[in-house]
Amino acid sequence: MTEIITTSTETGPPPASAWVRFLRTYGPTPNNLTMFDEYVAGAVGRAKVQPITLSAPMLEQMKQHIASGRPGSMLIAGTAGDGKTYHCRALWTSIGGKEKDWADKGNIKEHRLADGRLAVFIKDLSEFNGEESDAPLARLEKSVLGGDDSEIVIMAANHGQALDRLRDLGRRQGRPHPLRKPLQEFFLQAGEAPNRLAVFDLSRNAGRQALEEVVAAVANHVEWNNCSTCTLKADGKVCPIFENRQRLLGQSDGGQFSQRLGDLVEIARLNGLHMPVRDLLALCANMILGHREAKDGLMSCSEVSWIQEQGVIDRASVYGNAFGANLPRRRLADRPVFKAMAAFGVGNETTNGADGLLVYGKDDSKLAPSFAKLVGNDPVYGANARLLSAQDKYLEGEEAARIEGGASDFIKLLEAQRRRLFFTLPNGEEGYPYWSMTVFRFAGEYLEMRTSLLNKKPVSELVRGRLVRGLNRVMTGLLVDNEDRIFVASSGGFTQSKVSVLCDTEAPSRRQNGIGLAIKLDSITDRPTLDVALSPGAGNSVTFDITPVRFEFLSRVADGALPGSFSNECLEDMLAFKAKLLRKAELIRNNNAQDDDEETSADEGSITLNFIDIEQGGHGFSRPITVRISA
């Protein structure tokens, strides 16, 4: 990596350098202690800047719980980086606790409430080693299960730490700990919290809303006002730090960049990937300060002048930084947020139309207007001098570009432009659908479907039809095009078979008279579900959770093309859903048979099998064949 020469202005360091240096500590550096709440106050004091202030989304609920005088205790749970200690400290000060007392050494803090109860704060359960956690857990158990109303224990703990410590304590006591199982079920969203224990799970709050708050807190921070007098952006100069901040604010695109960034975070969340606030702060810091040749991949003000002189401003692209393009692979793997962003494949995924535009658009008379509109309009991160020069060398066939690996620099620039296009392509741009620049080509329709369900509106017929077609092709293993019904098929006994030509039962693709498919929104998972009822009445349906990756799987199967690299997990999930439907159909048949008091048929020695046939146009239908069974 090229060594960057750091510089200062003639009158001293750039006016915002202390703030940028402080923001840099939130980024994905090898040692960023600012990511821990306990170190924030010290870091702010050393930098002499205003802190980044975020709301504590569950603080009001916590305050109301304490004010209500309800007996029992509280558990502030979540994963690393969700803000457990942040909430704990905010609650401490809100009930009259002093900041100085909180900052003093010790992991247990006590404060007498107005109603006479003693509030016992356990700042972080993980700070206790081994059996040291037995005492605070005993106080919690005494309050929750022992009926002791003299104390209210307020404990902050990771999901796993809480469950592990309760398990270990139970083993030492020779019993299963009575709080462990109900807590585990609550964390898995499969049960209620234990009586007398109010559980505030911060991991359920992350998503688009959390991202929007973090972006606003970082990009609108008052310390950026110091940039107004900075010479690094005077006289037509482009400061990449300030440029990235402006783009994150949506100054030129009406907030489209933030909207699509939020879409990515939502898709990741709905796929079950959790992004704590700590990671979102790292993402925002990286988007603004990222540069491949800066120290640790993150710029400081003292490096900007060298970057400008070398003409490598485009390597600070906010669009690439969003996916961690400025970071080494090992650092990417260390942060879940960048692993989640990299999983979208933006930069590697593309379309023929997009690559044709990027490679030939400047010189092709038909593509030139689109190139000028979509690439040429951005001289900083779009049609900059480095891209245009590399493009000319590639097209003119220079000797260096023809040898093996000679075009690698141009390919890297091409990847950077694909990332930029994902964020900058206008909505509905003909020939250039931006979701096609990702591995989730149907993600836009998934989000629209979920929005429709949230607003109590019907799902698009196009989406419903594609889901049914994909379901039928998975259920049967045949290229059926039916969108009017769902075939629940088997191979005659082995439900995991990929090709099933025996139709066990059928259901309409739309719920009618209590039978058929209904697409609903699950209030717990916040995801759409397919609810297939095989008979009227409660208990006669089977539900299937639709994550974005499952939606993508069904949509691609419906369109007849599924990449070989696509995970087999989705197919296994679908076959498990099919097995549940077959089992449900069998139970319904058995129940109906018990209620049937008709005479025995003359055809008692025969069996009717419904085979699935396909017409020339791809429409499937079931054809009954009666087979006589000889005695």
Side-chain angles (χ1 to χ4, degrees), residues 133-368:
S133 62
D134 289 1
L137 287 174
R139 294 181 80 167
L140 180 72
E141 182 179 348
K142 183 180 179 182
S143 170
V144 176
L145 301 177
D148 182 5
D149 295 335
S150 64
E151 291 185 352
I152 173 171
V153 178
I154 299 144
M155 179 180 292
N158 285 359
H159 297 130
Q161 284 283 353
L163 296 176
D164 288 349
R165 297 300 174 89
L166 288 170
R167 179 198 61 204
D168 295 343
L169 175 59
R171 285 176 177 173
R172 286 191 286 273
Q173 296 174 339
R175 59 162 187 167
H177 198 284
L179 286 177
R180 188 179 186 277
K181 186 175 180 180
L183 269 180
Q184 184 177 31
E185 291 179 349
F186 178 81
F187 292 153
L188 294 173
Q189 300 182 343
E192 299 293 327
N195 291 331
R196 293 176 56 95
L197 181 62
V199 183
F200 297 90
D201 191 349
L202 302 181
S203 69
R204 300 185 185 182
N205 279 334
R208 186 193 299 274
Q209 188 175 353
L211 174 70
E212 289 173 351
E213 184 186 3
V214 170
V215 168
V218 173
N220 284 317
H221 198 280
V222 65
E223 295 288 346
W224 290 113
N225 293 337
N226 293 322
C227 293
S228 61
T229 59
C230 184
T231 58
L232 292 173
K233 67 181 190 68
D235 303 322
K237 295 178 184 176
V238 175
C239 170
I241 295 176
F242 191 77
E243 180 73 19
N244 287 348
R245 181 243 177 177
Q246 295 295 96
R247 297 198 183 207
L248 190 57
L249 282 172
Q251 298 282 8
S252 59
D253 66 359
Q256 179 176 290
F257 176 77
S258 292
Q259 174 67 32
R260 292 192 184 167
L261 187 66
D263 288 344
L264 294 175
V265 169
E266 275 294 276
I267 291 294
R269 179 182 73 86
L270 293 166
N271 267 328
L273 297 171
H274 177 57
M275 296 187 187
V277 172
R278 181 185 298 170
D279 276 6
L280 296 178
L281 279 166
L283 176 64
C284 285
N286 192 70
M287 285 191 291
I288 294 175
L289 303 179
H291 192 289
R292 292 181 182 181
E293 296 182 19
K295 181 182 178 182
D296 293 327
L298 296 168
M299 293 179 286
S300 59
C301 290
S302 59
E303 296 170 312
V304 170
S305 180
W306 183 90
I307 291 170
Q308 291 171 334
E309 292 171 1
Q310 297 299 311
V312 288
I313 291 174
D314 61 296
R315 292 181 182 172
S317 172
V318 65
Y319 309 114
N321 294 343
F323 299 101
N326 59 304
L327 301 172
R329 289 186 179 180
R330 181 181 299 178
R331 195 120 37 98
L332 279 176
D334 289 340
R335 282 299 181 88
V337 65
F338 293 108
K339 285 179 66 177
M341 295 296 285
F344 285 95
V346 180
N348 297 319
E349 295 291 320
T350 187
T351 64
N352 290 336
D355 274 6
L357 177 72
L358 293 172
V359 176
Y360 306 108
K362 178 170 66 74
D363 302 313
D364 189 301
S365 59
K366 292 182 180 179
L367 297 174

